[in-house]
Amino acid sequence: MVYGIPHTQYEFASRTVSSCRRFHWIPSLQRPPHGPRTNVETYEGKHSANMASEVQKRTFGSAATHIQRNPAYSELNSDDVSYFKSILGDNGVVQDEDRIAVANVDWMGKYRGASQLLLLPKNTTEVSKILSYCNTRRLAVVPQGGNTGLVGGSVPVYDEVIVSLAGMDKIISFDNVNGILTSEAGCVLENLSTFVENEGFIMPLDLGAKGSCQIGGNISTNAGGLRFIRYGSLHGNVLGLEVVLADGTILDMLTTLRKDNTGYDLKHLFIGSEGSLGVVTKISVLTPAKLPATNVAFLSCNDYTSCQKLLLAARRNLGEILSAFEFMDHHCIDLAMRHLEGVQNPLPASQYKFYVLIETTGSDESYDKTKLEAFLLRSMEDGLVSDGVIAQDISQASNFWRIREGISEASVKVGAVYKYDLSIPVEKLYDIVEEMRCRLGDNAEVLGYGHLGDGNLHLNILSSKYDDSTLAQIEPFVYEWTSSQRGSISAEHGLGLMKAEKIHYSKSPEAVQLMASIKKLLDPNSILNPYKVLPQSVL
Amino acid sequence: MVYGIPHTQYEFASRTVSSCRRFHWIPSLQRPPHGPRTNVETYEGKHSANMASEVQKRTFGSAATHIQRNPAYSELNSDDVSYFKSILGDNGVVQDEDRIAVANVDWMGKYRGASQLLLLPKNTTEVSKILSYCNTRRLAVVPQGGNTGLVGGSVPVYDEVIVSLAGMDKIISFDNVNGILTSEAGCVLENLSTFVENEGFIMPLDLGAKGSCQIGGNISTNAGGLRFIRYGSLHGNVLGLEVVLADGTILDMLTTLRKDNTGYDLKHLFIGSEGSLGVVTKISVLTPAKLPATNVAFLSCNDYTSCQKLLLAARRNLGEILSAFEFMDHHCIDLAMRHLEGVQNPLPASQYKFYVLIETTGSDESYDKTKLEAFLLRSMEDGLVSDGVIAQDISQASNFWRIREGISEASVKVGAVYKYDLSIPVEKLYDIVEEMRCRLGDNAEVLGYGHLGDGNLHLNILSSKYDDSTLAQIEPFVYEWTSSQRGSISAEHGLGLMKAEKIHYSKSPEAVQLMASIKKLLDPNSILNPYKVLPQSVL
């Protein structure tokens, strides 16, 4: 029986679960190794050049007015360039305007610096010599990986020297018994992913930006991504690091051990510190075994409480095979259906208030499918799920994921979008969406979606155009509300330049002060990635 | 058919897999929630009082000769006691000799201090007042949890004031959607375990010492334990901490969020720093959903290479349900059979060189058993496994685990035992056992066993008595060899007093120097847990 979607390859088998509820089954599938997902933020960047310039005026522009170039930094001169050429050769010292222009701006076109020099070291010793020199000369430095960040952390603010890790892209070793990968920091995530998949493993993180982002940047920003609910954070998966400190000291912490309780575990200082404490040059990461079977279900729920209960039941009943639990409110689905080409709602109509995408990944396709089906039937009988379908092949799974991931792309087609990436305790997570809807009334459309399994809400507020009165209704309320719930104003994107001055909403004064003390200890001249992560007032 | 073991409740079903190999099946079981396992080290402590005093002469004794009481510390006077009584009341200030004597010595009787005062704060404010006062007065402090450590980290060395967290044992909250527990640091692990299990979750760590150890101590020592292979380290599972710094500053990092990228993730500094950077007062931890089905198999392999290949195959084929992969050489089994009462080898005789214990934990008992059986059959056909059995109930599983966990207990019955807890890359892990056997010849019996899945070797060297010539053949060779493999001289026990001076075997001089700088930054008067973790020469 073909149901609902006029999409030729779709074959749904309808099945009556109870007298009043339907369930539509599509058999399980193998997910493509480099699945169809893309970072939800990617679309925004690609499709919203106009919006980006608006945002620039509002965020970066205003940030720049508050942050002056630190006069303690020297200005680059020809002797500096000569020195860098002496250690890197001519090819390692880039002064070509076009190439520098690319490195001066983030990929969204939202943040733009004025660096005059891009350096391309090929090994750790060269990075060490660069930093040692810059530290002595008080030349500010911005370390740059794939430059795919979303908060302006990877581009210069003024005339910082750009140190790109792109030339350090060698895989050093792979332990195929334990799945431990050691590589240089400039390796592109997708290349590492392909390499370990050929060995029967997967990277513990997967991002839409994987074709450009580098593993050193991923670690420096503590990237979250699509495998977080299953494999957890990089603090759990990174085994070792080699880092060059501001004064050129090479800090060798590049173990490949799962267990090592000898002294303070210093590597964690560099995971998520956005290049402001040191430059990551080599990494070792634990990679999970690659499992062959993936199933994706697209479900509807009548209320947010049901979504929460479904999450609890999924953790308990799907336990070891649960690999994604994403939720969207019906505003998101309506928007996606209006603005995304070729995307269809697999469920009959927009009669439901909430939608949930569940993915499982395991080692036995037919068993996992049976298990997921049994779980969904039970969830319907318990009233947690109103309706739902399971994908039967890659293209159907891709369609389900495309709805979830296309929300951001669809959002920017409306006009202006105010975007927030928040961590909030799950039971309170949807409250901010409803409160924001009350505050804004007819002035804006408020969407709530995100990684429910991780407590990570994407709050998008759509309006016909940017205006100060709308912004004033949103901020600082959204930050204050998040702070009052002990949430995080940056779940996975970091602070960078965009939110450095807003850290107090998520961290106590004592914690910020200690961060500043550690920054001063490791980088007393503050040459590494200045103006970012921490407020200028504490440095 | 009953095979092999004259144990009345055992029922084995023999099954021919190939013409020359046998496989014995015992159906699956539910593991008891507080299973029969005990920390392998526990036995040693309980059964080797004589040995402990020997070790004291050799390790603590010699350490004490190298470490003098730091004269910068004040000596306790009656004004100090009066002050502490004013903030804690009489019940919070213990001067009773018997009670202090207990707190002055570790549970193995190996390390003994000379403190005259035990303080029992009941809340964070009291901890803060204590440390603030001690910092001003230069009174050295040892924070104490359950005092179950193995390296002398939790008892005084000289006259440090003991600050026990035992009075701070309240559960603060539990989020039963996400499984996030928040509690005070003095909660006993087993109590937390019982609490979350009643809610359908488990603690991400399980230790033999769980009946005494406290969660704050677990976190301060980055305890490994029995669930490590499945749920990873505490760096991945601890979500938030509240810590009191040496000067009394209360550092609130007690979030309950899975994702939070706002600034440096400071909590990791306190995980595994053994109370030398601050006193953990509250914790929040992610607890995994409790899964109902456990299976345990006991297998034999002809060589170490087969053990490694079996591990690789288990990771791939058992993937999401694998919860333990332990190995033992035949010397261990022989010893266990000779010295452990009521324990039987489930396999025919000591004809195999290596033994492996595999445990699975999942959500479906019959499916998991079928899967494990299929995996083991395939492994036999591939020649990785020579013989094996699967337990059919709790008592059989307990017997399998008892063999593995009884090795340490059996070891100390021989006479003297030199014990090392090493992390070594899996492919090299057994080399040190064989090299040690060559070095020692007939002078000693060398056993190799441990958590193969974590790359964690327990190397036990048995001799009729302790003597300097044997020790000289072992040390520093074992540390130098481990260092040459980039291994860790303390996989899960920490450095404490025992190995503080040996940190250079596992950490680079630059890393040790940075640790010392961080210690000086956070505890400039060095009042917290002196003489431990870091060498005196760098402080």
Side-chain angles (χ1 to χ4, degrees):
Chain A
M1 175 185 165
V2 176
Y3 180 81
I5 308 170
H7 202 297
T8 53
Q9 79 272 37
Y10 274 33
E11 289 182 19
F12 290 71
S14 180
R15 180 165 164 185
T16 300
V17 172
S18 73
S19 58
C20 61
R21 291 190 295 251
R22 285 159 309 165
F23 214 90
H24 316 285
W25 302 106
I26 317 174
S28 69
L29 74 157
Q30 298 264 333
R31 245 194 85 206
H34 300 112
R37 304 175 187 176
T38 51
N39 188 315
V40 292
E41 303 295 343
T42 307
Y43 295 110
E44 178 170 329
K46 285 182 180 163
H47 296 268
S48 59
N50 291 339
M51 190 204 72
S53 69
E54 280 292 331
V55 173
Q56 190 171 359
K57 285 178 206 154
R58 295 183 184 284
T59 54
F60 178 47
S62 63
T65 60
H66 289 100
I67 298 171
Q68 301 296 318
R69 182 183 183 283
N70 184 341
Y73 298 130
S74 303
E75 291 185 20
L76 192 77
N77 63 34
S78 59
D79 286 349
D80 300 326
V81 175
S82 298
Y83 174 76
F84 292 129
K85 284 185 177 173
S86 76
I87 57 167
L88 304 176
D90 287 354
N91 291 338
V93 181
V94 178
Q95 293 180 286
D96 174 81
E97 283 187 10
D98 291 342
R99 289 178 67 189
I100 291 183
V102 171
N104 258 318
V105 66
D106 75 314
W107 64 271
M108 298 181 296
K110 187 172 166 186
Y111 301 94
R112 194 178 302 273
S115 177
Q116 300 161 52
L117 193 67
L118 167 67
L119 301 180
L120 286 164
K122 291 180 295 300
N123 55 55
T124 303
T125 305
E126 290 181 357
V127 175
S128 170
K129 286 179 178 170
I130 291 168
L131 294 192
S132 173
Y133 181 85
C134 289
N135 191 48
T136 306
R137 270 278 290 140
R138 304 287 196 277
L139 287 168
V141 167
V142 56
Q144 191 173 79
N147 195 11
T148 61
L150 294 156
V151 290
S154 57
V155 290
V157 179
Y158 289 102
D159 58 343
E160 299 92 289
V161 173
I162 303 168
V163 178
S164 167
L165 277 290
M168 294 178 61
D169 60 352
K170 287 187 284 297
I171 289 169
I172 297 167
S173 67
F174 187 70
D175 167 355
N176 64 9
V177 174
N178 289 297
I180 296 168
L181 172 73
T182 307
S183 81
E184 292 183 322
C187 289
V188 170
L189 178 59
E190 188 166 43
N191 296 344
L192 294 179
S193 197
T194 302
F195 175 83
V196 300
E197 287 193 19
N198 286 335
E199 300 277 338
F201 294 81
I202 60 168
M203 292 298 287
L205 76 165
D206 183 20
L207 307 175
K210 67 183 163 194
S212 303
C213 66
Q214 295 170 11
I215 189 69
N218 298 146
I219 289 170
S220 295
T221 55
N222 190 30
L226 302 164
R227 292 176 181 158
F228 193 97
I229 189 176
R230 179 69 166 263
Y231 298 112
S233 97
L234 288 170
H235 286 285
N237 293 306
V238 172
L239 298 180
L241 293 179
E242 179 190 77
V243 174
V244 180
L245 301 181
D247 67 357
T249 298
I250 297 169
L251 197 58
D252 178 1
M253 307 169 287
L254 196 63
T255 64
T256 54
L257 306 168
R258 289 208 68 184
K259 286 177 167 177
D260 178 21
N261 279 354
T262 54
Y264 310 154
D265 202 343
L266 298 174
K267 66 175 179 281
H268 295 285
L269 276 178
F270 304 94
I271 300 173
S273 56
E274 305 184 48
S276 67
L277 296 180
V279 177
V280 173
T281 46
K282 291 180 188 148
I283 64 98
S284 73
V285 177
L286 185 65
T287 68
K290 182 181 176 183
L291 301 175
T294 299
N295 290 277
V296 184
F298 195 85
L299 314 168
S300 60
C301 300
N302 284 330
D303 49 44
Y304 181 67
T305 303
S306 296
C307 297
Q308 284 186 75
K309 288 182 178 171
L310 188 66
L311 172 62
L312 183 62
R315 283 194 199 280
R316 187 130 317 138
N317 294 286
L318 300 175
E320 65 275 20
I321 59 170
L322 184 65
S323 57
F325 193 105
E326 300 286 316
F327 97 111
M328 300 145 269
D329 64 20
H330 73 92
H331 298 271
C332 298
I333 302 295
D334 296 346
L335 184 86
M337 296 308 132
R338 288 202 306 273
H339 293 286
L340 297 180
E341 276 182 36
V343 168
Q344 302 283 342
N345 187 349
L347 299 178
S350 298
Q351 61 187 263
Y352 308 110
K353 290 195 174 165
F354 291 91
Y355 294 81
V356 168
L357 185 156
I358 291 179
E359 185 188 80
T360 67
T361 307
S363 53
D364 187 310
E365 190 178 337
S366 69
Y367 168 73
D368 290 355
K369 187 188 71 177
T370 305
K371 192 171 186 176
L372 179 60
E373 286 175 355
F375 166 69
L376 295 177
L377 279 174
R378 216 163 36 242
S379 300
M380 289 195 78
E381 284 162 5
D382 293 343
L384 303 182
V385 169
S386 311
D387 206 348
V389 287
I390 299 181
Q392 79 173 341
D393 59 26
I394 292 173
S395 81
Q396 290 171 7
S398 300
N399 180 66
F400 295 177
W401 272 112
R402 174 87 175 108
I403 296 169
R404 162 64 187 83
E405 297 186 324
I407 297 167
S408 190
E409 179 186 354
S411 294
V412 300
K413 293 185 178 175
V414 171
V417 56
Y418 302 86
K419 289 177 67 69
Y420 300 91
D421 167 41
L422 310 171
S423 267
I424 300 170
V426 171
E427 68 276 14
K428 296 281 187 181
L429 184 140
Y430 201 69
D431 290 1
I432 181 67
V433 182
E434 290 176 332
E435 289 208 32
M436 198 56 83
R437 223 166 254 151
C438 290
R439 282 178 77 84
L440 294 170
D442 295 335
N443 292 336
E445 185 175 4
V446 182
L447 313 183
Y449 64 101
H451 318 288
L452 196 65
D454 306 329
N456 186 180
L457 172 74
H458 292 301
L459 172 69
N460 280 13
I461 297 164
L462 315 184
S463 183
S464 56
K465 62 179 175 56
Y466 289 100
D467 64 66
D468 288 341
S469 68
T470 303
L471 186 62
Q473 283 182 288
I474 302 171
E475 295 186 22
F477 173 78
V478 65
Y479 293 128
E480 288 170 352
W481 191 95
T482 303
S483 182
S484 74
Q485 302 298 328
R486 299 185 68 94
S488 170
I489 62 162
S490 182
E492 56 184 4
H493 296 166
L495 295 172
L497 179 64
M498 179 183 172
K499 298 186 224 173
E501 302 293 327
K502 295 182 166 59
I503 191 171
H504 287 292
Y505 285 111
S506 287
K507 291 289 159 69
S508 69
E510 295 81 10
V512 174
Q513 198 53 57
L514 180 52
M515 291 180 204
S517 298
I518 288 172
K519 168 72 176 175
K520 288 172 192 164
L521 176 69
L522 272 79
D523 181 15
N525 296 327
S526 206
I527 65 162
L528 287 174
N529 224 1
Y531 319 111
K532 296 163 188 169
V533 188
L534 297 176
Q536 294 301 294
S537 56
V538 300
L539 291 174
Chain B
M1 173 181 163
V2 176
Y3 181 81
I5 308 172
H7 201 299
T8 52
Q9 80 272 39
Y10 275 33
E11 289 181 17
F12 292 70
S14 179
R15 180 166 165 185
T16 300
V17 173
S18 73
S19 59
C20 62
R21 289 189 298 252
R22 285 159 308 164
F23 214 91
H24 314 284
W25 301 109
I26 316 174
S28 68
L29 74 157
Q30 299 262 334
R31 243 193 86 206
H34 300 112
R37 303 175 186 175
T38 50
N39 189 315
V40 291
E41 302 295 343
T42 307
Y43 294 110
E44 180 171 330
K46 285 183 179 162
H47 294 267
S48 59
N50 291 339
M51 190 201 73
S53 69
E54 281 292 329
V55 173
Q56 188 172 0
K57 286 179 203 154
R58 295 184 183 282
T59 55
F60 179 48
S62 64
T65 59
H66 289 100
I67 298 171
Q68 300 297 318
R69 182 184 183 284
N70 185 341
Y73 298 130
S74 303
E75 291 184 22
L76 191 76
N77 63 33
S78 59
D79 286 349
D80 300 325
V81 175
S82 297
Y83 174 77
F84 292 128
K85 284 185 177 172
S86 77
I87 58 169
L88 304 175
D90 287 354
N91 291 339
V93 180
V94 178
Q95 293 180 288
D96 174 81
E97 282 188 13
D98 290 342
R99 289 178 69 187
I100 290 183
V102 171
N104 258 319
V105 65
D106 75 314
W107 65 270
M108 298 181 294
K110 187 173 166 183
Y111 301 94
R112 193 178 303 271
S115 178
Q116 300 160 53
L117 192 68
L118 167 67
L119 302 179
L120 286 164
K122 290 180 295 302
N123 55 54
T124 303
T125 305
E126 290 181 357
V127 175
S128 170
K129 286 179 179 169
I130 291 168
L131 294 192
S132 174
Y133 181 85
C134 289
N135 191 49
T136 305
R137 270 278 291 139
R138 304 288 195 276
L139 287 169
V141 168
V142 55
Q144 191 172 80
N147 194 10
T148 61
L150 294 157
V151 290
S154 56
V155 289
V157 179
Y158 289 101
D159 57 345
E160 300 93 290
V161 173
I162 303 168
V163 178
S164 167
L165 277 291
M168 294 178 62
D169 60 353
K170 287 188 283 297
I171 290 170
I172 297 167
S173 67
F174 188 68
D175 167 356
N176 65 8
V177 175
N178 289 296
I180 296 168
L181 172 73
T182 306
S183 81
E184 291 184 322
C187 289
V188 170
L189 178 60
E190 188 166 44
N191 295 345
L192 294 179
S193 196
T194 302
F195 175 83
V196 301
E197 287 193 18
N198 286 335
E199 300 278 337
F201 293 83
I202 60 168
M203 292 298 286
L205 77 164
D206 183 21
L207 306 176
K210 66 184 164 193
S212 303
C213 67
Q214 296 171 12
I215 189 69
N218 298 148
I219 290 171
S220 295
T221 55
N222 190 29
L226 302 163
R227 293 177 181 157
F228 192 97
I229 190 176
R230 179 70 166 262
Y231 298 111
S233 95
L234 288 170
H235 286 285
N237 293 307
V238 172
L239 298 180
L241 293 179
E242 179 190 76
V243 174
V244 180
L245 301 181
D247 67 358
T249 298
I250 298 170
L251 198 58
D252 178 0
M253 308 168 288
L254 196 64
T255 64
T256 54
L257 307 167
R258 288 209 68 184
K259 286 176 166 178
D260 178 21
N261 279 354
T262 54
Y264 311 154
D265 202 342
L266 298 174
K267 67 174 178 280
H268 295 285
L269 275 177
F270 303 94
I271 299 173
S273 56
E274 305 183 47
S276 66
L277 295 180
V279 177
V280 173
T281 45
K282 291 180 189 147
I283 65 97
S284 73
V285 177
L286 186 65
T287 68
K290 182 180 176 182
L291 301 175
T294 298
N295 290 277
V296 185
F298 195 84
L299 315 168
S300 60
C301 300
N302 284 328
D303 51 43
Y304 181 68
T305 303
S306 295
C307 298
Q308 284 186 74
K309 287 182 178 171
L310 188 66
L311 172 60
L312 183 61
R315 284 194 197 283
R316 186 131 317 139
N317 294 286
L318 300 175
E320 65 274 22
I321 60 170
L322 184 65
S323 56
F325 193 105
E326 300 286 316
F327 98 110
M328 300 145 268
D329 64 21
H330 73 90
H331 298 271
C332 299
I333 302 295
D334 296 345
L335 184 84
M337 296 308 131
R338 287 202 306 273
H339 294 285
L340 297 180
E341 274 183 39
V343 169
Q344 301 284 340
N345 186 350
L347 298 178
S350 298
Q351 61 187 263
Y352 309 109
K353 290 195 175 166
F354 292 90
Y355 294 80
V356 168
L357 185 156
I358 291 179
E359 184 189 79
T360 66
T361 307
S363 53
D364 186 310
E365 189 178 339
S366 69
Y367 169 72
D368 290 355
K369 187 188 71 177
T370 304
K371 191 173 186 176
L372 179 60
E373 287 174 353
F375 166 69
L376 294 178
L377 280 173
R378 217 162 37 241
S379 300
M380 289 194 78
E381 284 161 5
D382 293 344
L384 302 182
V385 169
S386 310
D387 205 348
V389 286
I390 299 180
Q392 79 173 340
D393 59 26
I394 292 173
S395 82
Q396 289 170 6
S398 299
N399 180 65
F400 295 178
W401 271 111
R402 174 87 176 109
I403 296 169
R404 161 64 187 84
E405 297 187 327
I407 297 168
S408 190
E409 179 186 355
S411 293
V412 299
K413 293 186 178 176
V414 172
V417 55
Y418 302 86
K419 290 177 66 70
Y420 300 91
D421 167 41
L422 310 170
S423 267
I424 301 171
V426 172
E427 68 276 14
K428 296 280 188 183
L429 185 141
Y430 201 68
D431 290 2
I432 181 66
V433 183
E434 291 176 330
E435 287 207 35
M436 198 56 84
R437 224 165 253 153
C438 290
R439 281 178 76 85
L440 294 170
D442 295 335
N443 292 336
E445 187 176 1
V446 181
L447 313 183
Y449 63 101
H451 318 288
L452 195 66
D454 306 329
N456 187 180
L457 173 73
H458 292 300
L459 172 68
N460 281 12
I461 297 164
L462 316 184
S463 183
S464 56
K465 61 180 177 54
Y466 291 101
D467 65 67
D468 289 341
S469 68
T470 304
L471 187 61
Q473 283 182 289
I474 301 170
E475 294 185 25
F477 173 78
V478 64
Y479 292 128
E480 288 170 352
W481 191 94
T482 302
S483 181
S484 73
Q485 303 298 328
R486 298 184 67 93
S488 171
I489 61 162
S490 183
E492 56 184 4
H493 296 167
L495 295 171
L497 179 65
M498 179 183 171
K499 298 185 223 172
E501 300 294 326
K502 295 182 167 58
I503 192 172
H504 288 291
Y505 285 111
S506 287
K507 291 289 157 71
S508 70
E510 296 80 11
V512 174
Q513 198 55 58
L514 180 52
M515 290 179 205
S517 298
I518 288 172
K519 168 72 177 174
K520 288 171 191 164
L521 175 69
L522 273 80
D523 181 16
N525 296 328
S526 206
I527 65 161
L528 287 174
N529 224 0
Y531 318 112
K532 296 164 189 168
V533 188
L534 296 176
Q536 294 302 295
S537 56
V538 299
L539 291 174

